[in-house]
Amino acid sequence: MQQQKTNIVLIGMPGSGKSTVGVILAKMLAKSFLDTDILIQKCENRTLQDIIDQEGHMALRAIEEQVLLGITCNHHVIATGGSAAYSEPAMNHLKQQGIMVFLHADLPSLRKRISNYETRGLAKRPDQSFLDLFNERLTLYKKYCDITVPSSEQNQEQVSELVISRLKSYENDNHSRL
């Protein structure tokens, strides 16, 4: 028997709105909220950027994978870090517990929203441009998502309402309830 999926897992680029939309969704749906970037920082007792500065971006990805694999919860909205999709085991683990929603912001919108690309704590190669990072991750987000919701043109409340609308359609199509 398949486990009931009660979580909503938000994936997408930094700046796509995962954390802000996640809080709004959690309130709208009476679910708890979990931000995995904050969880990593609490577990490590340091910022994401500190991890990258001290150990490199691959160390952050490894830590992130372990933290994500340790998440077991129900009735949560989970905002993942932008690099979560690099871990197939972590994505499969989260997908067993929830519906994966890709908040898809286009590159121009992300560039406007992210002014601190070099110091934001992004798990990227030191020489990697934002365009390269965007293209690399886009493939992964599309691979894992159950639902894609555009997040470029709307405000966070509108994106949240669109997520709820798409979740209802998804539930109807898949005969499930969140």
Side-chain angles (χ1 to χ4, degrees):
M1 186 171 129
Q2 188 175 7
Q3 177 182 345
Q4 181 70 23
K5 296 181 176 189
T6 64
N7 296 328
I8 299 164
V9 182
L10 303 177
I11 62 174
M13 285 291 287
S16 63
K18 300 179 301 289
S19 295
T20 307
V21 168
V23 169
I24 295 167
L25 273 176
K27 286 180 182 178
M28 292 172 86
L29 298 172
K31 292 184 180 283
S32 297
F33 176 70
L34 177 63
D35 187 313
T36 65
D37 281 348
I38 293 171
L39 186 59
I40 292 166
Q41 291 180 157
K42 285 173 77 173
C43 289
E44 289 293 305
N45 203 22
R46 56 189 171 152
T47 68
L48 303 180
Q49 189 62 50
D50 286 342
I51 296 168
I52 292 168
D53 291 345
Q54 294 165 11
E55 299 174 46
H57 72 284
M58 292 307 289
L60 175 57
R61 287 190 195 168
I63 292 166
E64 180 174 46
E65 179 178 77
Q66 291 310 304
V67 168
L68 294 177
L69 288 171
I71 294 173
T72 304
C73 59
N74 291 301
H75 305 288
H76 278 69
V77 175
I78 302 170
T80 63
S83 57
Y86 285 111
S87 171
E88 186 168 2
M91 288 292 94
N92 290 334
H93 173 71
L94 292 174
K95 199 170 176 91
Q96 288 175 348
Q97 302 173 47
I99 308 299
M100 294 283 215
V101 178
F102 170 33
L103 297 186
H104 185 14
D106 60 31
L107 192 59
S109 296
L110 293 171
R111 284 191 194 279
K112 282 184 204 166
R113 295 176 188 172
I114 300 192
S115 58
N116 56 347
Y117 177 68
E118 293 302 326
T119 59
R120 187 173 169 125
L122 300 177
K124 64 174 186 65
R125 294 184 308 277
D127 63 335
Q128 193 168 29
S129 73
F130 196 63
L131 174 61
D132 289 342
L133 187 71
F134 177 84
N135 288 331
E136 183 177 278
R137 291 183 179 184
L138 186 60
T139 303
L140 296 171
Y141 300 141
K142 287 180 178 181
K143 173 182 175 181
Y144 294 115
C145 75
D146 297 305
I147 300 168
T148 300
V149 174
S151 65
S152 297
E153 302 299 320
Q154 302 88 355
N155 65 38
Q156 289 96 342
E157 288 80 14
Q158 292 169 322
V159 172
S160 298
E161 289 170 7
L162 189 52
V163 169
I164 291 169
S165 171
R166 300 261 173 104
L167 283 168
K168 287 178 183 171
S169 296
Y170 180 86
E171 289 171 359
N172 289 337
D173 293 347
N174 292 279
H175 309 292
S176 66
R177 290 220 20 95
L178 263 177

